[in-house]
Amino acid sequence: MNNENKHNVAPLPEQHLTGITLMPDETLESVETYKHGSLLSYSAIEAIINLTAVHRYRDIGGNGPSNASNSVEKENDGKESHQGLYDVFFPRDAFVVAQILSEENPQLTRSTVLAAFAGMGVMDNYKNPVHPYDEQEVGKIPHEFRSPDDPIATELTEKKDWGWPYYGAVDTTGKNTAAIARYVETSDEGEAFLEQTFVGRDGIERTVKDGLDMNVAWLTNRMDLNPDGLVESLSKNRKHHANQTWADSPEAFHHADGSWAEHHPDKNLGVAALEQQGEAYAALRGAARMYERLGETDKADELDGRADSLREVVLEKFWVDDDAHYGGFFGRGTDRDEHGNLRVLAIRTSDMGNFLGSGMLDDTDDEELNKEIRFKREAVIQNLLSEEMLGLNGIRTLSSDSVRYSPDRYHNGTTWPWVTHVTAEALRRYGRDEEADDLDNRIMIACEETGILGEYFSGSNDPNHRLVEQRVVVANPSLTTDPVYPVSQPAQEIQAWTAAAVLAIKRRRGKQTLAA
């Protein structure tokens, strides 16, 4: 999420930049600086209660999904607080929150799925584009829900031609599918949930099973657009997000030399994020289990076959052999040149942590394949815990030895608590409890030392520079999709997935009673 937000604050000289080193292809447009306020009296449990609009923790999920962030009124040196950018329903964020809290609050997963289905795409807007353009496609789950008269929505419509809900995400549909499977398999309601009805945006009543079918059809159709069966970001509007996974800022996807990943949506050639392939894999496996339960074995076999093929492609084509980095690593993703040739984005990122939790690197029944999987799995773990990747506050979004790294860059240096926590849970999946505990400790210390449940923290190792306190806007003509954009901005101080991670850590430690 990297929505634009303007403030009437005088720019500072370039030498006053903190946490950002300008690249040779960048010129400074503006700088805004202010201090975060402490929210130490505002607990994670209070945050989740407010974000889900209930009065008691045990009622979470009874009134819908979590909003992505929340804001508290407080003074900020006379400047605008830069808070409140994401006080709406972002399915990506909400599914992460629901997953983290699923053990104590399965109802939150249920309500998040139903809310997402209420906005699911029911037409293919790209065939006969209607403006403002929402990127709606049949079976696709939105990126972001806003009322068209919301001030941020109005600005984005005027500047970027966004329609509402906005569907510029390729990971939300898979997250919805995986959430359905998780809820059916772990809740008391079980398969009966598949018969639950909802009313879509076209006014038609459907069952969750109908919605699952539509989600799976969208996912497999998107995979079929790609010659390797990958899920790529393919925005048809140059004003929209080019990168349509969680790392959606303009500069997130690039090659090791700093050159940009190439998008050719007119040729159905886009960027395939490593993390997204893991999401698709988990969705395919989860959906296959659902169809198996329902006796649709042919469909289950088809989806399992797709998952096997996807794993084969990722293991081969996303892997970068590198003796200097534990034998190799998985790149952030792939792009294609103008001739359609696949190229790996050979940079080390925290996306490997998200990917580690997808199940794609689990052992199989094939011992030869397991040799490859175990080697690459261990290399991923070693890379994530390396000096270049692991910072004071958690796992850096981009390794510190990368060309485009700066500790305060939005997706190219900062540390995000939810990513660090998801990585910790993935490490526990493979018996690495000690390393997982260390990651969770870094999250807790960062939140305690700063007094906020921050969206992200600096990738710096300086304990006096944990917070990103500048919004730095640069101009970069080489980035044709967004030639002027913020490379850093102050974090939201109450972020739902951070609050959820803190609660989960406290629950594991036995320090928080969550039934309050």
Side-chain angles (χ1 to χ4, degrees), residues 193-259:
F193 180 54
L194 297 174
E195 298 306 313
Q196 171 68 46
T197 58
F198 65 91
V199 177
R201 60 177 299 180
D202 56 2
I204 296 176
E205 185 175 86
R206 297 178 175 89
T207 65
V208 169
K209 170 57 166 55
D210 295 332
L212 175 66
D213 291 341
M214 294 171 71
N215 281 174
V216 170
W218 179 87
L219 179 61
T220 55
N221 288 340
R222 178 56 71 98
M223 295 174 74
D224 288 343
L225 290 176
N226 182 280
D228 293 294
L230 300 172
V231 180
E232 292 182 325
S233 295
L234 288 170
S235 177
K236 300 293 185 181
N237 189 323
R238 285 288 184 177
K239 294 182 179 180
H240 288 198
H241 281 330
N243 304 317
Q244 299 196 335
T245 58
W246 90 270
D248 57 10
S249 57
E251 65 169 3
F253 286 81
H254 57 272
H255 290 274
D257 63 0
S259 61

Side-chain angles (χ1 to χ4, degrees), residues 194-467:
L194 297 174
E195 298 306 313
Q196 171 68 46
T197 58
F198 65 91
V199 177
R201 60 177 299 180
D202 56 2
I204 296 176
E205 185 175 86
R206 297 178 175 89
T207 65
V208 169
K209 170 57 166 55
D210 295 332
L212 175 66
D213 291 341
M214 294 171 71
N215 281 174
V216 170
W218 179 87
L219 179 61
T220 55
N221 288 340
R222 178 56 71 98
M223 295 174 74
D224 288 343
L225 290 176
N226 182 280
D228 293 294
L230 300 172
V231 180
E232 292 182 325
S233 295
L234 288 170
S235 177
K236 300 293 185 181
N237 189 323
R238 285 288 184 177
K239 294 182 179 180
H240 288 198
H241 281 330
N243 304 317
Q244 299 196 335
T245 58
W246 90 270
D248 57 10
S249 57
E251 65 169 3
F253 286 81
H254 57 272
H255 290 274
D257 63 0
S259 61
W260 303 119
E262 293 191 24
H263 297 260
H264 302 283
D266 53 322
K267 300 178 181 178
N268 281 333
L269 301 176
V271 170
L274 172 71
E275 175 216 8
Q276 171 52 37
Q277 310 321 306
E279 295 276 5
Y281 180 86
L284 292 168
R285 293 294 194 204
R289 295 194 301 273
M290 293 301 96
Y291 288 117
E292 187 72 34
R293 278 173 171 258
L294 297 172
E296 298 182 38
T297 55
D298 288 347
K299 185 66 173 177
D301 290 345
E302 176 203 340
L303 297 181
D304 275 331
R306 282 181 176 269
D308 289 341
S309 297
L310 180 59
R311 179 177 57 202
E312 182 179 351
V313 170
V314 171
L315 287 175
E316 176 188 354
K317 298 190 176 184
F318 284 65
W319 182 255
V320 179
D321 287 315
D322 187 348
D323 290 340
H325 294 112
Y326 312 100
F329 58 91
F330 287 104
R332 176 160 246 172
T334 60
D335 74 346
R336 293 178 184 274
D337 64 21
E338 60 184 5
H339 304 295
N341 299 311
L342 195 73
R343 306 180 301 183
V344 66
L345 307 177
I347 53 176
R348 294 186 295 159
T349 73
S350 62
D351 291 356
M352 287 190 287
N354 295 337
F355 176 70
L356 189 63
S358 69
M360 194 182 283
L361 297 182
D362 285 354
D363 285 358
T364 72
D365 295 330
D366 184 334
E367 279 307 311
E368 281 302 309
L369 178 58
N370 285 342
K371 292 178 183 178
E372 177 185 5
I373 287 175
R374 290 167 186 164
F375 169 77
K376 292 181 177 179
R377 184 172 70 210
E378 182 60 25
V380 164
I381 292 171
Q382 293 300 321
N383 275 287
L384 289 168
L385 300 177
S386 69
E387 180 180 356
E388 301 85 12
M389 289 294 301
L390 184 56
L392 180 69
N393 302 310
I395 296 175
R396 297 184 177 100
T397 44
L398 181 67
S399 66
S400 61
D401 58 353
S402 296
V403 170
R404 289 197 174 271
Y405 170 81
S406 285
D408 288 7
R409 284 185 183 260
Y410 196 62
H411 287 128
N412 282 345
T414 53
T415 69
W416 293 59
W418 80 270
V419 175
T420 299
H421 179 66
V422 166
T423 302
E425 290 301 299
L427 290 174
R428 291 187 178 99
R429 181 187 189 112
Y430 300 115
R432 307 296 283 267
D433 291 359
E434 183 176 347
E435 294 95 329
D437 289 344
D438 175 69
L439 294 184
D440 281 342
N441 284 339
R442 292 169 191 259
I443 296 169
M444 297 301 291
I445 292 171
C447 291
E448 290 165 2
E449 289 293 318
T450 60
I452 68 172
L453 298 164
E455 180 187 4
Y456 47 82
F457 296 100
S458 175
S460 170
N461 282 330
D462 182 353
N464 296 313
H465 184 73
R466 293 182 186 269
L467 292 172

